[in-house]
Amino acid sequence: MSQALFTGLARTSRPQVAVRRFLALDAVVTGGNGLAYVAASGPLGELLGIGSRLLFGLGLFLTAFAAGVAWLASRRRPPALGVKLVVDANVLWAALSLVALVGWLEPGTAGLVWVPMQAATVAGFAALQWTALRAASATP
């Protein structure tokens, strides 16, 4: 990712601030998604063609994960290991979402659009976080 594009996306040229911003964005989006799955697992399950019990469980997981990511984002200098774990978890989530879509989920049309879209979003968070972490590690 070019430095100009990265700086524009992060709205800062300070890599440590970029790490925190990308973590915070991830926490907000993931937390919102998780809360929606918990609060409306029935209607969302019907819309997406995905079991409401599965969505409810995923919602609980996503809400807890988002809280951890938000905690990392609140640190002045988020620990590199913690950020790496978030990146790894995001990559794993994106990959498993696509595997589940092909392997065992039988979603409706909305689900066929939603699952790859959210997987791409999560993969994007991972790429931004990894790029920011590398930049922060390179600066003293």
Short mmCIF file of all heavy atoms in Angstrom, two decimals, residues 73-140:
data_model
loop_
_atom_site.label_atom_id
_atom_site.label_comp_id
_atom_site.label_asym_id
_atom_site.label_seq_id
_atom_site.Cartn_x
_atom_site.Cartn_y
_atom_site.Cartn_z
N ALA A 73 -7.29 -0.45 21.15
CA ALA A 73 -7.31 0.86 20.51
C ALA A 73 -7.17 1.99 21.52
O ALA A 73 -6.68 3.07 21.18
CB ALA A 73 -8.59 1.04 19.71
N SER A 74 -7.58 1.75 22.75
CA SER A 74 -7.52 2.80 23.78
C SER A 74 -6.13 2.95 24.38
O SER A 74 -5.87 3.93 25.08
CB SER A 74 -8.53 2.50 24.90
OG SER A 74 -8.08 1.42 25.70
N ARG A 75 -5.25 2.03 24.11
CA ARG A 75 -3.88 2.10 24.64
C ARG A 75 -3.09 3.14 23.85
O ARG A 75 -3.24 3.24 22.63
CB ARG A 75 -3.14 0.75 24.53
CG ARG A 75 -3.83 -0.45 25.15
CD ARG A 75 -3.91 -0.36 26.65
NE ARG A 75 -5.21 0.20 26.98
CZ ARG A 75 -5.57 0.73 28.13
NH1 ARG A 75 -4.74 0.80 29.11
NH2 ARG A 75 -6.77 1.20 28.33
N ARG A 76 -2.25 3.88 24.52
CA ARG A 76 -1.42 4.88 23.84
C ARG A 76 -0.54 4.22 22.79
O ARG A 76 -0.37 4.74 21.70
CB ARG A 76 -0.57 5.63 24.87
CG ARG A 76 0.19 6.79 24.32
CD ARG A 76 0.88 7.57 25.46
NE ARG A 76 1.89 8.45 24.97
CZ ARG A 76 3.09 8.09 24.55
NH1 ARG A 76 3.45 6.82 24.55
NH2 ARG A 76 3.95 8.98 24.12
N ARG A 77 0.03 3.08 23.13
CA ARG A 77 0.83 2.28 22.20
C ARG A 77 0.34 0.83 22.30
O ARG A 77 0.85 0.08 23.13
CB ARG A 77 2.32 2.37 22.52
CG ARG A 77 2.92 3.76 22.31
CD ARG A 77 4.42 3.80 22.52
NE ARG A 77 5.18 2.98 21.60
CZ ARG A 77 5.57 3.37 20.39
NH1 ARG A 77 5.27 4.57 19.96
NH2 ARG A 77 6.28 2.57 19.62
N PRO A 78 -0.62 0.47 21.48
CA PRO A 78 -1.13 -0.91 21.57
C PRO A 78 0.01 -1.92 21.39
O PRO A 78 0.86 -1.74 20.51
CB PRO A 78 -2.11 -1.00 20.39
CG PRO A 78 -2.48 0.40 20.07
CD PRO A 78 -1.27 1.23 20.42
N PRO A 79 0.05 -2.95 22.23
CA PRO A 79 1.12 -3.93 22.12
C PRO A 79 1.08 -4.63 20.75
O PRO A 79 0.01 -5.02 20.27
CB PRO A 79 0.83 -4.94 23.24
CG PRO A 79 -0.41 -4.50 23.91
CD PRO A 79 -0.90 -3.25 23.29
N ALA A 80 2.25 -4.77 20.16
CA ALA A 80 2.34 -5.37 18.82
C ALA A 80 1.73 -6.77 18.80
O ALA A 80 1.03 -7.13 17.85
CB ALA A 80 3.79 -5.42 18.37
N LEU A 81 1.97 -7.56 19.84
CA LEU A 81 1.42 -8.92 19.87
C LEU A 81 -0.10 -8.88 19.84
O LEU A 81 -0.74 -9.66 19.13
CB LEU A 81 1.92 -9.68 21.10
CG LEU A 81 1.37 -11.11 21.26
CD1 LEU A 81 1.74 -11.96 20.05
CD2 LEU A 81 1.87 -11.73 22.55
N GLY A 82 -0.70 -7.98 20.59
CA GLY A 82 -2.15 -7.86 20.60
C GLY A 82 -2.69 -7.48 19.23
O GLY A 82 -3.69 -8.04 18.76
N VAL A 83 -2.03 -6.53 18.57
CA VAL A 83 -2.45 -6.12 17.23
C VAL A 83 -2.29 -7.27 16.26
O VAL A 83 -3.17 -7.53 15.42
CB VAL A 83 -1.68 -4.87 16.76
CG1 VAL A 83 -2.09 -4.48 15.35
CG2 VAL A 83 -1.90 -3.70 17.72
N LYS A 84 -1.19 -8.02 16.36
CA LYS A 84 -0.98 -9.17 15.49
C LYS A 84 -2.07 -10.21 15.69
O LYS A 84 -2.54 -10.83 14.73
CB LYS A 84 0.39 -9.80 15.74
CG LYS A 84 1.53 -8.98 15.20
CD LYS A 84 2.86 -9.61 15.55
CE LYS A 84 4.00 -8.70 15.16
NZ LYS A 84 5.30 -9.22 15.58
N LEU A 85 -2.49 -10.41 16.93
CA LEU A 85 -3.57 -11.37 17.20
C LEU A 85 -4.89 -10.91 16.57
O LEU A 85 -5.64 -11.73 16.04
CB LEU A 85 -3.73 -11.58 18.71
CG LEU A 85 -2.61 -12.37 19.40
CD1 LEU A 85 -2.81 -12.36 20.91
CD2 LEU A 85 -2.54 -13.79 18.87
N VAL A 86 -5.16 -9.62 16.62
CA VAL A 86 -6.36 -9.08 15.98
C VAL A 86 -6.27 -9.29 14.47
O VAL A 86 -7.24 -9.73 13.83
CB VAL A 86 -6.57 -7.59 16.32
CG1 VAL A 86 -7.66 -6.97 15.46
CG2 VAL A 86 -6.90 -7.44 17.80
N VAL A 87 -5.12 -8.99 13.89
CA VAL A 87 -4.94 -9.19 12.45
C VAL A 87 -5.15 -10.66 12.10
O VAL A 87 -5.89 -10.98 11.15
CB VAL A 87 -3.54 -8.72 12.00
CG1 VAL A 87 -3.24 -9.16 10.57
CG2 VAL A 87 -3.41 -7.20 12.13
N ASP A 88 -4.54 -11.56 12.85
CA ASP A 88 -4.69 -13.00 12.59
C ASP A 88 -6.14 -13.44 12.73
O ASP A 88 -6.65 -14.21 11.91
CB ASP A 88 -3.80 -13.83 13.52
CG ASP A 88 -2.32 -13.69 13.21
OD1 ASP A 88 -1.97 -13.18 12.11
OD2 ASP A 88 -1.51 -14.08 14.07
N ALA A 89 -6.81 -12.95 13.75
CA ALA A 89 -8.22 -13.30 13.96
C ALA A 89 -9.07 -12.78 12.81
O ALA A 89 -9.99 -13.48 12.34
CB ALA A 89 -8.72 -12.74 15.29
N ASN A 90 -8.78 -11.59 12.32
CA ASN A 90 -9.54 -11.04 11.20
C ASN A 90 -9.31 -11.84 9.92
O ASN A 90 -10.26 -12.11 9.18
CB ASN A 90 -9.18 -9.56 10.98
CG ASN A 90 -9.86 -8.65 11.97
OD1 ASN A 90 -10.87 -9.00 12.57
ND2 ASN A 90 -9.32 -7.46 12.14
N VAL A 91 -8.08 -12.23 9.67
CA VAL A 91 -7.79 -13.06 8.49
C VAL A 91 -8.51 -14.40 8.60
O VAL A 91 -9.13 -14.87 7.64
CB VAL A 91 -6.26 -13.25 8.31
CG1 VAL A 91 -5.95 -14.31 7.27
CG2 VAL A 91 -5.60 -11.93 7.94
N LEU A 92 -8.45 -15.00 9.79
CA LEU A 92 -9.13 -16.27 10.00
C LEU A 92 -10.64 -16.14 9.83
O LEU A 92 -11.29 -16.97 9.19
CB LEU A 92 -8.79 -16.81 11.40
CG LEU A 92 -9.35 -18.18 11.76
CD1 LEU A 92 -8.81 -19.25 10.82
CD2 LEU A 92 -9.00 -18.51 13.21
N TRP A 93 -11.22 -15.07 10.38
CA TRP A 93 -12.67 -14.84 10.24
C TRP A 93 -13.05 -14.72 8.77
O TRP A 93 -14.03 -15.31 8.33
CB TRP A 93 -13.07 -13.58 11.00
CG TRP A 93 -14.52 -13.27 10.86
CD1 TRP A 93 -15.12 -12.55 9.85
CD2 TRP A 93 -15.57 -13.69 11.72
NE1 TRP A 93 -16.47 -12.50 10.04
CE2 TRP A 93 -16.78 -13.19 11.18
CE3 TRP A 93 -15.62 -14.44 12.88
CZ2 TRP A 93 -18.01 -13.42 11.78
CZ3 TRP A 93 -16.85 -14.65 13.49
CH2 TRP A 93 -18.03 -14.15 12.93
N ALA A 94 -12.29 -13.93 8.02
CA ALA A 94 -12.60 -13.74 6.59
C ALA A 94 -12.53 -15.06 5.85
O ALA A 94 -13.44 -15.39 5.06
CB ALA A 94 -11.63 -12.72 5.98
N ALA A 95 -11.49 -15.83 6.10
CA ALA A 95 -11.35 -17.12 5.41
C ALA A 95 -12.45 -18.10 5.81
O ALA A 95 -13.06 -18.75 4.95
CB ALA A 95 -9.97 -17.72 5.72
N LEU A 96 -12.73 -18.20 7.10
CA LEU A 96 -13.76 -19.14 7.55
C LEU A 96 -15.15 -18.73 7.08
O LEU A 96 -16.00 -19.60 6.84
CB LEU A 96 -13.74 -19.26 9.08
CG LEU A 96 -12.57 -20.05 9.66
CD1 LEU A 96 -12.62 -20.04 11.18
CD2 LEU A 96 -12.56 -21.47 9.14
N SER A 97 -15.38 -17.44 6.93
CA SER A 97 -16.67 -16.98 6.40
C SER A 97 -16.89 -17.53 5.00
O SER A 97 -17.98 -18.03 4.66
CB SER A 97 -16.73 -15.45 6.36
OG SER A 97 -16.71 -14.92 7.64
N LEU A 98 -15.85 -17.47 4.18
CA LEU A 98 -15.97 -17.97 2.81
C LEU A 98 -16.05 -19.49 2.77
O LEU A 98 -16.82 -20.05 1.99
CB LEU A 98 -14.81 -17.45 1.97
CG LEU A 98 -14.76 -15.93 1.83
CD1 LEU A 98 -13.53 -15.50 1.04
CD2 LEU A 98 -16.04 -15.38 1.21
N VAL A 99 -15.28 -20.15 3.62
CA VAL A 99 -15.35 -21.61 3.71
C VAL A 99 -16.74 -22.04 4.14
O VAL A 99 -17.32 -22.98 3.58
CB VAL A 99 -14.26 -22.16 4.66
CG1 VAL A 99 -14.50 -23.62 5.00
CG2 VAL A 99 -12.88 -21.96 4.07
N ALA A 100 -17.30 -21.37 5.13
CA ALA A 100 -18.65 -21.70 5.61
C ALA A 100 -19.68 -21.49 4.51
O ALA A 100 -20.61 -22.28 4.36
CB ALA A 100 -19.00 -20.85 6.83
N LEU A 101 -19.50 -20.45 3.74
CA LEU A 101 -20.44 -20.16 2.65
C LEU A 101 -20.44 -21.29 1.62
O LEU A 101 -21.50 -21.71 1.16
CB LEU A 101 -20.05 -18.84 1.98
CG LEU A 101 -20.99 -18.30 0.92
CD1 LEU A 101 -22.36 -18.00 1.52
CD2 LEU A 101 -20.42 -17.04 0.31
N VAL A 102 -19.27 -21.80 1.33
CA VAL A 102 -19.15 -22.87 0.34
C VAL A 102 -19.43 -24.23 0.97
O VAL A 102 -20.02 -25.10 0.34
CB VAL A 102 -17.74 -22.86 -0.29
CG1 VAL A 102 -17.51 -24.05 -1.19
CG2 VAL A 102 -17.51 -21.56 -1.05
N GLY A 103 -19.02 -24.41 2.22
CA GLY A 103 -19.05 -25.72 2.85
C GLY A 103 -20.33 -26.14 3.52
O GLY A 103 -20.75 -27.28 3.37
N TRP A 104 -20.98 -25.25 4.26
CA TRP A 104 -22.15 -25.73 5.00
C TRP A 104 -23.30 -24.74 5.11
O TRP A 104 -24.43 -25.14 5.36
CB TRP A 104 -21.77 -26.27 6.37
CG TRP A 104 -21.21 -25.26 7.33
CD1 TRP A 104 -21.92 -24.41 8.11
CD2 TRP A 104 -19.86 -24.99 7.59
NE1 TRP A 104 -21.08 -23.63 8.86
CE2 TRP A 104 -19.79 -23.97 8.57
CE3 TRP A 104 -18.66 -25.52 7.12
CZ2 TRP A 104 -18.60 -23.48 9.05
CZ3 TRP A 104 -17.47 -25.01 7.61
CH2 TRP A 104 -17.45 -24.01 8.57
N LEU A 105 -23.06 -23.45 4.97
CA LEU A 105 -24.18 -22.52 5.02
C LEU A 105 -25.00 -22.62 3.73
O LEU A 105 -24.46 -22.89 2.66
CB LEU A 105 -23.68 -21.08 5.17
CG LEU A 105 -23.03 -20.69 6.48
CD1 LEU A 105 -22.57 -19.24 6.44
CD2 LEU A 105 -23.97 -20.90 7.66
N GLU A 106 -26.29 -22.42 3.87
CA GLU A 106 -27.18 -22.38 2.70
C GLU A 106 -28.01 -21.10 2.78
O GLU A 106 -29.22 -21.14 2.98
CB GLU A 106 -28.07 -23.62 2.68
CG GLU A 106 -27.30 -24.91 2.51
CD GLU A 106 -28.18 -26.14 2.56
OE1 GLU A 106 -29.42 -26.01 2.58
OE2 GLU A 106 -27.61 -27.24 2.60
N PRO A 107 -27.31 -19.95 2.62
CA PRO A 107 -28.00 -18.68 2.80
C PRO A 107 -28.91 -18.33 1.63
O PRO A 107 -28.80 -18.90 0.54
CB PRO A 107 -26.85 -17.68 2.87
CG PRO A 107 -25.78 -18.29 2.03
CD PRO A 107 -25.92 -19.78 2.25
N GLY A 108 -29.80 -17.38 1.91
CA GLY A 108 -30.62 -16.83 0.85
C GLY A 108 -29.80 -15.83 0.04
O GLY A 108 -28.59 -15.67 0.25
N THR A 109 -30.46 -15.13 -0.84
CA THR A 109 -29.78 -14.16 -1.70
C THR A 109 -29.06 -13.09 -0.88
O THR A 109 -27.90 -12.76 -1.16
CB THR A 109 -30.79 -13.50 -2.66
OG1 THR A 109 -31.43 -14.54 -3.42
CG2 THR A 109 -30.10 -12.54 -3.61
N ALA A 110 -29.73 -12.56 0.13
CA ALA A 110 -29.10 -11.52 0.97
C ALA A 110 -27.85 -12.08 1.66
O ALA A 110 -26.84 -11.39 1.77
CB ALA A 110 -30.09 -10.99 1.99
N GLY A 111 -27.92 -13.32 2.12
CA GLY A 111 -26.77 -13.94 2.76
C GLY A 111 -25.62 -14.17 1.79
O GLY A 111 -24.45 -14.05 2.16
N LEU A 112 -25.98 -14.51 0.54
CA LEU A 112 -24.94 -14.71 -0.48
C LEU A 112 -24.20 -13.41 -0.79
O LEU A 112 -23.05 -13.44 -1.23
CB LEU A 112 -25.55 -15.27 -1.77
CG LEU A 112 -25.93 -16.75 -1.72
CD1 LEU A 112 -26.72 -17.13 -2.97
CD2 LEU A 112 -24.69 -17.62 -1.57
N VAL A 113 -24.85 -12.29 -0.57
CA VAL A 113 -24.20 -11.00 -0.75
C VAL A 113 -23.48 -10.59 0.53
O VAL A 113 -22.34 -10.14 0.51
CB VAL A 113 -25.24 -9.92 -1.16
CG1 VAL A 113 -24.62 -8.53 -1.16
CG2 VAL A 113 -25.84 -10.25 -2.51
N TRP A 114 -24.16 -10.76 1.67
CA TRP A 114 -23.64 -10.29 2.96
C TRP A 114 -22.36 -11.00 3.39
O TRP A 114 -21.39 -10.35 3.81
CB TRP A 114 -24.70 -10.44 4.05
CG TRP A 114 -24.19 -10.07 5.41
CD1 TRP A 114 -23.91 -10.91 6.44
CD2 TRP A 114 -23.89 -8.75 5.87
NE1 TRP A 114 -23.44 -10.20 7.51
CE2 TRP A 114 -23.43 -8.87 7.18
CE3 TRP A 114 -23.96 -7.49 5.28
CZ2 TRP A 114 -23.04 -7.77 7.93
CZ3 TRP A 114 -23.57 -6.39 6.05
CH2 TRP A 114 -23.11 -6.54 7.35
N VAL A 115 -22.34 -12.32 3.31
CA VAL A 115 -21.19 -13.06 3.84
C VAL A 115 -19.88 -12.67 3.15
O VAL A 115 -18.90 -12.33 3.83
CB VAL A 115 -21.44 -14.58 3.81
CG1 VAL A 115 -20.19 -15.36 4.18
CG2 VAL A 115 -22.60 -14.95 4.74
N PRO A 116 -19.81 -12.67 1.81
CA PRO A 116 -18.55 -12.25 1.19
C PRO A 116 -18.23 -10.77 1.43
O PRO A 116 -17.06 -10.39 1.56
CB PRO A 116 -18.77 -12.50 -0.31
CG PRO A 116 -19.93 -13.39 -0.41
CD PRO A 116 -20.75 -13.19 0.82
N MET A 117 -19.27 -9.93 1.52
CA MET A 117 -19.05 -8.51 1.76
C MET A 117 -18.43 -8.28 3.14
O MET A 117 -17.47 -7.52 3.29
CB MET A 117 -20.36 -7.75 1.62
CG MET A 117 -20.20 -6.26 1.56
SD MET A 117 -21.74 -5.42 1.15
CE MET A 117 -22.70 -5.71 2.62
N GLN A 118 -18.96 -8.96 4.16
CA GLN A 118 -18.39 -8.77 5.49
C GLN A 118 -17.01 -9.43 5.57
O GLN A 118 -16.13 -8.91 6.25
CB GLN A 118 -19.34 -9.25 6.59
CG GLN A 118 -19.66 -10.71 6.64
CD GLN A 118 -18.63 -11.56 7.34
OE1 GLN A 118 -17.95 -11.13 8.26
NE2 GLN A 118 -18.47 -12.78 6.87
N ALA A 119 -16.79 -10.52 4.85
CA ALA A 119 -15.46 -11.13 4.83
C ALA A 119 -14.43 -10.19 4.22
O ALA A 119 -13.32 -10.04 4.72
CB ALA A 119 -15.50 -12.46 4.07
N ALA A 120 -14.82 -9.51 3.14
CA ALA A 120 -13.92 -8.55 2.50
C ALA A 120 -13.64 -7.36 3.42
O ALA A 120 -12.51 -6.87 3.49
CB ALA A 120 -14.51 -8.08 1.18
N THR A 121 -14.65 -6.92 4.14
CA THR A 121 -14.47 -5.81 5.08
C THR A 121 -13.49 -6.19 6.18
O THR A 121 -12.57 -5.43 6.51
CB THR A 121 -15.83 -5.41 5.69
OG1 THR A 121 -16.71 -5.01 4.63
CG2 THR A 121 -15.68 -4.29 6.71
N VAL A 122 -13.66 -7.38 6.73
CA VAL A 122 -12.78 -7.84 7.81
C VAL A 122 -11.36 -8.04 7.28
O VAL A 122 -10.38 -7.68 7.96
CB VAL A 122 -13.35 -9.13 8.44
CG1 VAL A 122 -12.37 -9.75 9.42
CG2 VAL A 122 -14.67 -8.84 9.13
N ALA A 123 -11.22 -8.57 6.08
CA ALA A 123 -9.89 -8.72 5.48
C ALA A 123 -9.25 -7.34 5.26
O ALA A 123 -8.04 -7.18 5.44
CB ALA A 123 -9.99 -9.49 4.16
N GLY A 124 -10.07 -6.37 4.89
CA GLY A 124 -9.57 -5.01 4.73
C GLY A 124 -9.06 -4.43 6.04
O GLY A 124 -8.00 -3.78 6.07
N PHE A 125 -9.79 -4.67 7.13
CA PHE A 125 -9.32 -4.23 8.44
C PHE A 125 -7.96 -4.86 8.74
O PHE A 125 -7.04 -4.20 9.23
CB PHE A 125 -10.29 -4.61 9.55
CG PHE A 125 -11.54 -3.78 9.61
CD1 PHE A 125 -12.72 -4.34 10.05
CD2 PHE A 125 -11.55 -2.45 9.24
CE1 PHE A 125 -13.88 -3.59 10.10
CE2 PHE A 125 -12.70 -1.69 9.29
CZ PHE A 125 -13.87 -2.27 9.73
N ALA A 126 -7.83 -6.16 8.47
CA ALA A 126 -6.57 -6.86 8.73
C ALA A 126 -5.42 -6.23 7.94
O ALA A 126 -4.34 -6.01 8.49
CB ALA A 126 -6.70 -8.34 8.39
N ALA A 127 -5.66 -5.92 6.68
CA ALA A 127 -4.61 -5.33 5.84
C ALA A 127 -4.21 -3.95 6.36
O ALA A 127 -3.02 -3.63 6.44
CB ALA A 127 -5.09 -5.24 4.39
N LEU A 128 -5.20 -3.14 6.71
CA LEU A 128 -4.90 -1.80 7.24
C LEU A 128 -4.15 -1.88 8.57
O LEU A 128 -3.17 -1.15 8.79
CB LEU A 128 -6.19 -1.00 7.41
CG LEU A 128 -6.89 -0.58 6.12
CD1 LEU A 128 -8.28 -0.04 6.43
CD2 LEU A 128 -6.06 0.43 5.36
N GLN A 129 -4.60 -2.75 9.45
CA GLN A 129 -3.96 -2.89 10.76
C GLN A 129 -2.53 -3.40 10.62
O GLN A 129 -1.61 -2.91 11.28
CB GLN A 129 -4.79 -3.81 11.65
CG GLN A 129 -6.11 -3.20 12.04
CD GLN A 129 -7.15 -4.21 12.47
OE1 GLN A 129 -6.98 -5.42 12.31
NE2 GLN A 129 -8.26 -3.72 12.99
N TRP A 130 -2.33 -4.37 9.73
CA TRP A 130 -0.99 -4.93 9.52
C TRP A 130 -0.05 -3.88 8.94
O TRP A 130 1.08 -3.73 9.40
CB TRP A 130 -1.06 -6.15 8.62
CG TRP A 130 0.27 -6.77 8.37
CD1 TRP A 130 0.99 -6.76 7.21
CD2 TRP A 130 1.09 -7.46 9.32
NE1 TRP A 130 2.18 -7.41 7.38
CE2 TRP A 130 2.27 -7.85 8.67
CE3 TRP A 130 0.92 -7.78 10.66
CZ2 TRP A 130 3.28 -8.55 9.31
CZ3 TRP A 130 1.93 -8.49 11.31
CH2 TRP A 130 3.09 -8.86 10.63
N THR A 131 -0.54 -3.13 7.96
CA THR A 131 0.27 -2.08 7.35
C THR A 131 0.64 -1.02 8.38
O THR A 131 1.80 -0.57 8.45
CB THR A 131 -0.48 -1.45 6.17
OG1 THR A 131 -0.78 -2.48 5.22
CG2 THR A 131 0.36 -0.38 5.48
N ALA A 132 -0.32 -0.62 9.19
CA ALA A 132 -0.06 0.39 10.22
C ALA A 132 0.92 -0.14 11.27
O ALA A 132 1.81 0.59 11.72
CB ALA A 132 -1.37 0.82 10.87
N LEU A 133 0.75 -1.39 11.66
CA LEU A 133 1.65 -1.99 12.66
C LEU A 133 3.07 -2.05 12.12
O LEU A 133 4.02 -1.71 12.84
CB LEU A 133 1.17 -3.38 13.05
CG LEU A 133 2.02 -4.10 14.08
CD1 LEU A 133 2.03 -3.33 15.39
CD2 LEU A 133 1.49 -5.52 14.29
N ARG A 134 3.24 -2.43 10.88
CA ARG A 134 4.58 -2.48 10.27
C ARG A 134 5.20 -1.09 10.23
O ARG A 134 6.38 -0.93 10.54
CB ARG A 134 4.52 -3.09 8.88
CG ARG A 134 4.31 -4.59 8.92
CD ARG A 134 4.37 -5.23 7.59
NE ARG A 134 5.39 -4.62 6.75
CZ ARG A 134 5.59 -4.89 5.49
NH1 ARG A 134 4.82 -5.77 4.89
NH2 ARG A 134 6.52 -4.31 4.79
N ALA A 135 4.40 -0.10 9.86
CA ALA A 135 4.91 1.27 9.82
C ALA A 135 5.29 1.76 11.22
O ALA A 135 6.32 2.42 11.41
CB ALA A 135 3.88 2.20 9.18
N ALA A 136 4.46 1.42 12.21
CA ALA A 136 4.76 1.83 13.58
C ALA A 136 6.00 1.15 14.12
O ALA A 136 6.78 1.74 14.87
CB ALA A 136 3.55 1.54 14.48
N SER A 137 6.21 -0.11 13.73
CA SER A 137 7.39 -0.85 14.17
C SER A 137 8.65 -0.30 13.55
O SER A 137 9.73 -0.42 14.12
CB SER A 137 7.25 -2.33 13.82
OG SER A 137 6.14 -2.89 14.48
N ALA A 138 8.54 0.30 12.37
CA ALA A 138 9.70 0.83 11.67
C ALA A 138 10.12 2.20 12.17
O ALA A 138 11.24 2.65 11.90
CB ALA A 138 9.41 0.91 10.16
N THR A 139 9.22 2.88 12.90
CA THR A 139 9.56 4.20 13.42
C THR A 139 9.93 4.11 14.90
O THR A 139 9.27 3.39 15.65
CB THR A 139 8.39 5.19 13.25
OG1 THR A 139 7.23 4.65 13.89
CG2 THR A 139 8.10 5.47 11.80
N PRO A 140 10.97 4.81 15.28
CA PRO A 140 11.42 4.72 16.69
C PRO A 140 10.48 5.39 17.66
O PRO A 140 9.65 6.13 17.43
CB PRO A 140 12.78 5.44 16.69
CG PRO A 140 12.92 6.11 15.38
CD PRO A 140 11.84 5.61 14.48
#
